[in-house]
Every structure is written in structure tokens, then in C-alpha cells.
Amino acid sequence: MLEKLFTSKVRVDMLKLFLRDPEEEYYVREITRAVGTEINAVRRELENLENIGLVKKWPRGNRLYYKTVTSHPLYSSLLVLIAHESGLGGLILKNKRKLGKLKYAFIAQALPMGRIAKENEVDLVLVGDMYPEILKQYIRKAEKMHDHEINYTALSEKEFKALKAHKDAFIQKLLLMPRIMLIGSEEELVA
């Protein structure tokens, strides 16, 4: 199945489009404009994605609409792969050395699916020694990419360990939220 997923740039761009907002419905010309390619390439990739069960289609009026099948066994794994490559996750990974020495970095699983965090929700958590001004620059870039404000928490490793040891409610909430690990070991993070 993986051979069918990653053989073309058009397919990768379409996966990014579909996975970014799994509740969104798209018709062929809309997808073509969004990924910036020709209609025949989009139709071919839609057929491939439909054949493996990652998208479903149905007619409405004179158009065929397509939507992500979130119950597909590879959905979560693909979301993680896309999050590591694009958006905030990709930005953090591409620039991790410039940010400082990060022990852990993770994003909320809902962020790459298009969720806009409420005031009490966090999109990004960074633990380690980092450069705050450089971090702010990348957060601003990510906010432009995602087209909304990014809620983030940056802690030193010492602060993180102390809050975790005291079973701080905020840290406990962060450790329980569905996340996509960018840097560090999930097992060490929650141990």
C-alpha cells in the first residue's frame, strides 16, 4: 500500500490537503486549484486514493465530491508523516538546531487537522534550552502558514522535570493530550 501512496508529488500535495481538514469536502477542480496541477493528474491520484480506501466520493449536483476516510488504518500514521514535513512540525524540525538544544518537542494532534486552539489549549510544547527570540520568529512564520495564532509553551528541562515531579495540572494535561512527537522519545517524556 505504501508504494501507491508516495509515488508522486501530486499525491503528497493532495494528502496534505485532505489530511489538513478531514471534515472538508472537495470537488475535482477545487483540488486542482489547491494543489496547482493539471486535472488529469488529480483524477488519477483521486482514483488511487479511493482504491486504497483513504478517500470516498459521492455525487452532488453535477459534481463529484471527495472526503478523507478518518477510520482508514493508515490515517493517523499519514497525519504524523505530514505533520513532520509541513506546517509547524516541519518548521520546527527543519530549524531545530537554530532554536537551541531541544530535549522534547511535540504538537497537538489536532493542529495539523486544522483545529484552532482555544485559550486554554496548547499547539506546541518545547522542552530544553532554546533561544526565545528565534523561537518567536518561527512561531510568527507558523502563524502565517496556519493562518491563526499558535499557542505554545517553552520550558527548560529543569522546569519541566520539577513541574512533572509535582504533578502540576498543566503539565499533566499536556502529557495526556493526543500529540505528535517531533523531537525526543515519547516513553521518556511520560516516564
Side-chain angles (χ1 to χ4, degrees):
M1 204 180 298
L2 288 176
E3 303 84 27
K4 289 189 174 189
L5 283 175
F6 299 106
T7 57
S8 80
K9 181 185 179 326
V10 174
R11 188 173 308 154
V12 170
D13 290 343
M14 288 173 58
L15 284 170
K16 288 177 184 177
L17 176 70
F18 279 106
L19 296 173
R20 183 175 53 224
D21 190 355
E23 297 304 314
E24 188 67 35
E25 303 169 352
Y26 302 97
Y27 58 92
V28 176
R29 291 216 183 267
E30 187 176 25
I31 298 167
T32 303
R33 283 190 296 273
V35 298
T37 192
E38 59 187 55
I39 197 164
N40 288 336
V42 168
R43 285 188 174 131
R44 184 173 45 253
E45 295 306 334
L46 282 169
E47 184 178 338
N48 288 329
L49 293 173
E50 188 182 10
N51 285 341
I52 62 170
L54 194 58
V55 299
K56 61 182 177 182
K57 74 176 178 185
W58 64 94
R60 188 182 321 137
N62 62 348
R63 292 182 176 153
L64 282 176
Y65 282 84
Y66 295 84
K67 183 178 176 181
T68 308
V69 177
T70 57
S71 61
H72 191 280
L74 292 178
Y75 173 77
S76 295
S77 299
L78 288 170
L79 188 62
V80 169
L81 289 172
I82 297 298
H84 278 86
E85 169 121 352
S86 63
L88 178 59
L91 195 62
I92 296 296
L93 287 172
K94 287 174 190 151
N95 298 288
K96 65 183 176 183
R97 293 192 198 285
K98 294 176 186 173
L99 290 167
K101 294 181 181 173
L102 297 173
K103 173 86 173 178
Y104 305 112
F106 58 90
I107 59 174
Q109 188 176 35
L111 178 67
M113 295 188 299
R115 180 210 67 192
I116 298 175
K118 297 177 184 146
E119 201 171 300
N120 64 343
E121 295 175 321
V122 177
D123 294 315
L124 169 68
V125 177
L126 300 161
V127 176
D129 296 321
M130 60 210 92
Y131 306 112
E133 290 307 312
I134 294 173
L135 174 60
K136 287 178 188 173
Q137 290 174 12
Y138 287 115
I139 293 296
R140 284 193 292 274
K141 281 184 184 179
E143 288 174 341
K144 287 180 183 174
M145 290 166 60
H146 287 274
D147 203 26
H148 62 79
E149 188 176 327
I150 301 292
N151 294 345
Y152 70 96
T153 297
L155 301 164
S156 71
E157 194 173 349
K158 186 177 178 180
E159 289 173 311
F160 178 73
K161 284 181 179 179
L163 291 169
K164 193 170 138 184
H166 287 91
K167 298 194 186 296
D168 177 79
F170 178 69
I171 295 298
Q172 295 299 311
K173 183 178 177 184
L174 292 179
L175 293 175
L176 292 173
M177 79 177 194
R179 66 186 156 269
I180 296 173
M181 290 298 294
L182 301 172
I183 298 170
S185 162
E186 176 120 19
E187 290 78 19
E188 286 179 22
L189 175 76
V190 297

